[in-house]
Amino acid sequence: MSANASELESLAQEVETATTLLAQSKAGIAKRIIGQDTVVEQTLVALLCGGHALLVGAPGLAKTRLVDTLGTVFGLHTNRVQFTPDLMPADILGSEVLESSEDGARSFRFLKGPVFSQLLMADEINRASPRTQSALLQAMQERQVTIAGQEYDLPAPFHVLATQNPIEQEGTYPLPEAQLDRFLLQIDVSFPSRETERDILLATTGAAEEEATQVFTPETLMAAQAAVRRMPVGDAVVEAILDLVRAARPEDETAPDFVRESVSWGPGPRAAQALMLATRARALVQGRLAPSVDDVVALAYPVLIHRMALGFAARARGEKLSELISRLTERAITTEAAA
């Protein structure tokens, strides 16, 4: 057997193992999260990519419940931080305290903050000041923090799942663009349908509620993350990603007129990287060995929505970024099909 064939066989086995665990995970999550199939899938995609996700939705849509359930299913050490305007960076990262020993000697000891976890839930992240929000930047990108000149590695794997309320904006601070770019996906959590809400009422207001059980371990999750990066990607998928991301930049020569007229700034290369990884992860979640152009279509919105901005004139005209991304996606896929 050739090395290439052996590698593909090994990858196929890893994908099969991960697919089985993911099917069990989705079944366990469905016991506690009812009807949010797309939200659950996109959150699983973020975790399989080793990335972070921003959950945006009104209060009471089970965002916190989802993160708690994921921590149980994946066997991750989970911490939760409720962001408030008076929250300080040390409240997240930790701080040094001065201690005295029995012989009177004094020394500093570092007390780790809640960021030292495998799954950090940053609840209502936009309620903290930019100074506190920026304390997460190094952690999210480098998986380490620096305190008093000393670097501390975070546990592996490390993920941030942040929530944001798009309705109540009083006393909030918009997330800096540099921090938004660190979120692999923005996952919009919408209101359930009538039938789904009926199921929620029946399932959550009785004497007992369903509980999720652990399926993954941190080690098996990291093995699945490694398998995602080894999955092959066809040229058609790569070209569709490039067509989409580059056309979203108003200064690019391939950008259509509606982008040049409406978009003030577009996505950088990190968006293309995110889309490349996310399409692989979605294929794995659905039990496929390689991604397709359909995965690019499905993930274009959560990858791009927080990495672009409309200009003032476009906002005044009532344009919506979601509709612009839909037009861009359709254009990119049509272009790739024609090629």
Side-chain angles (χ1 to χ4, degrees):
M1 181 181 295
S2 67
N4 189 42
S6 176
E7 172 69 16
L8 287 176
E9 183 178 347
S10 173
L11 177 60
Q13 292 174 350
E14 292 177 26
V15 169
E16 183 178 357
T17 299
T19 300
T20 301
L21 293 176
L22 285 167
Q24 297 173 10
S25 299
K26 288 189 286 186
I29 294 169
K31 294 178 181 179
R32 289 174 53 81
I33 308 298
I34 300 172
Q36 296 282 12
D37 295 340
T38 301
V39 172
V40 171
E41 179 181 80
Q42 292 179 358
T43 310
L44 290 175
V45 164
L47 293 179
L48 288 171
C49 292
H52 316 292
L54 181 63
L55 299 168
V56 179
L61 295 180
K63 300 186 295 297
T64 303
R65 186 184 182 93
L66 172 61
V67 178
D68 180 65
T69 303
L70 287 169
T72 299
V73 169
F74 284 94
L76 302 176
H77 172 220
T78 306
N79 281 331
R80 175 185 177 187
V81 178
Q82 180 67 48
F83 278 60
T84 58
D86 60 348
L87 195 72
M88 299 299 291
D91 297 326
I92 302 172
L93 305 180
S95 58
E96 289 190 320
V97 296
L98 183 63
E99 292 186 329
S100 298
S101 60
E102 293 181 357
D103 60 3
R106 294 183 176 183
S107 61
F108 284 99
R109 182 166 68 93
F110 176 59
L111 297 179
K112 294 181 179 180
V115 74
F116 286 87
S117 60
Q118 294 171 317
L119 181 62
L120 176 67
M121 179 175 185
D123 211 355
E124 294 192 298
I125 190 172
N126 57 327
R127 291 204 173 278
S129 67
R131 177 185 179 187
T132 301
Q133 292 173 7
S134 66
L136 281 177
L137 277 177
Q138 183 187 15
M140 293 174 66
Q141 184 65 27
E142 307 296 337
R143 266 65 174 181
Q144 64 181 19
V145 298
T146 303
I147 305 294
Q150 178 69 40
E151 294 181 349
Y152 299 89
D153 292 330
L154 298 174
F158 174 71
H159 303 277
V160 175
L161 295 182
T163 69
Q164 183 171 283
N165 178 0
I167 300 174
E168 179 57 64
Q169 295 299 326
E170 183 176 351
T172 63
Y173 302 85
L175 295 182
E177 287 79 6
Q179 185 173 5
L180 283 172
D181 200 28
R182 263 66 177 186
F183 286 104
L184 185 88
L185 303 177
Q186 176 180 309
I187 303 172
D188 288 356
V189 186
S190 58
F191 288 101
S193 66
R194 182 183 179 90
E195 285 303 312
T196 299
E197 193 161 4
R198 182 179 186 277
D199 293 340
I200 292 172
L201 293 178
L202 296 176
T204 60
T205 59
E209 290 190 35
E210 292 280 359
E211 294 293 334
T213 57
Q214 181 176 343
V215 176
F216 278 83
T217 64
E219 291 72 26
T220 54
L221 174 57
M222 288 189 289
Q225 291 171 346
V228 165
R229 290 182 172 270
R230 293 170 55 205
M231 292 173 68
V233 181
D235 289 342
V237 175
V238 175
E239 294 303 320
I241 292 172
L242 288 171
D243 289 343
L244 175 62
V245 174
R246 295 187 67 83
R249 301 168 185 160
E251 65 277 2
D252 194 275
E253 60 183 13
T254 63
D257 290 340
F258 65 86
V259 169
R260 297 177 188 273
E261 295 169 358
S262 300
V263 176
S264 60
W265 53 271
R270 191 177 281 121
Q273 293 173 322
L275 199 48
M276 188 82 158
L277 276 176
T279 54
R280 288 168 165 158
R282 185 173 187 266
L284 182 61
V285 169
Q286 296 188 352
R288 291 179 279 117
L289 187 59
S292 68
V293 174
D294 290 339
D295 297 313
V296 179
V297 174
L299 293 166
Y301 176 88
V303 168
L304 296 179
I305 189 64
H306 58 299
R307 293 184 167 100
M308 301 174 62
L310 291 175
F312 176 79
R315 296 197 303 271
R317 292 193 297 266
E319 296 184 22
K320 294 182 179 179
L321 196 52
S322 58
E323 296 174 355
L324 186 142
I325 292 174
S326 296
R327 293 177 64 186
L328 267 176
T329 304
E330 182 178 353
R331 178 182 179 273
I333 302 309
T334 302
T335 301
E336 184 56 33

